[in-house]
Amino acid sequence: MSEKKIKVGLKKGGGPEPGYNWSVLYLIIAEAEARKILKRDDQYEHVITQIRDLATQKDPAHPTTLRIEPVKDFYELKEKGGPLGKINLRVFFIIEKEKRTIVLLGHYKKEEEGKTPSPVVRTMSRRRRKYLNGDYGDAQ
């Protein structure tokens, strides 16, 4: 059996009542990036809480409680402060409306002013394309 490349994070309808509006899948590489950036468990848990919040939204592209911006053919969640301290984190994802699924593509620690750097945008676009082509296989 091949190594898993994508996992299920949340299932639509699961979680506390009334349940999540969206399922969440994540690339294993995205989890590794988050773990590398977020050194403490409370930081990692904070980001998971943000993702859970995103999954409760009616429209994850326009949430009422989070900072989301479109970037090329995906979205970025902007998060800093609180448990993250001085970490300016970006969480990249796509939305599959017909499947009611959010797919986490990756994380990036932003340290420069301005837009997300082009190499990061290209990497996330490539991951999006590979996901949509089925290159990561099925979620486990």
Side-chain angles (χ1 to χ4, degrees):
M1 186 172 161
S2 64
E3 185 180 332
K4 293 185 227 176
K5 295 183 180 178
I6 190 165
K7 288 186 178 179
V8 175
L10 301 172
K11 290 188 177 183
K12 181 181 175 286
E17 288 294 326
Y20 298 114
N21 290 321
W22 298 82
S23 294
V24 175
L25 303 179
Y26 63 93
L27 303 182
I28 298 300
I29 194 165
E31 179 183 27
E33 287 170 347
R35 296 252 182 224
K36 189 174 181 181
I37 296 166
L38 306 169
K39 305 295 186 197
R40 299 189 333 250
D41 288 344
D42 67 320
Q43 292 173 327
Y44 191 78
E45 287 300 319
H46 175 73
V47 174
I48 289 173
T49 299
Q50 301 303 311
I51 300 304
R52 287 182 182 136
D53 186 9
L54 189 63
T56 67
Q57 301 291 319
K58 185 175 181 179
D59 178 3
H62 303 94
T64 57
T65 57
L66 301 166
R67 289 181 52 214
I68 304 291
E69 287 192 21
V71 178
K72 199 171 177 185
D73 49 7
F74 53 90
Y75 297 91
E76 73 178 349
L77 164 65
K78 298 178 174 188
E79 187 65 24
K80 66 179 177 179
L84 300 184
K86 294 184 180 187
I87 295 172
N88 189 355
L89 185 72
R90 298 296 187 257
V91 180
F92 301 101
F93 64 95
I94 60 171
I95 300 168
E96 292 188 291
K97 290 182 181 177
E98 63 284 347
K99 294 181 181 179
R100 304 274 310 162
T101 301
I102 298 165
V103 182
L104 302 181
L105 301 173
H107 298 80
Y108 175 69
K109 182 179 178 184
K110 192 162 186 293
E111 297 179 359
E112 63 287 315
E113 291 297 320
K115 295 185 178 198
T116 302
S118 296
V120 176
V121 172
R122 284 192 300 272
T123 296
M124 298 307 155
S125 288
R126 183 176 61 250
R127 289 179 188 175
R128 174 191 173 275
R129 185 175 59 253
K130 287 177 73 172
Y131 169 77
L132 293 174
N133 287 341
D135 295 351
Y136 292 113
D138 293 328
Q140 303 287 320

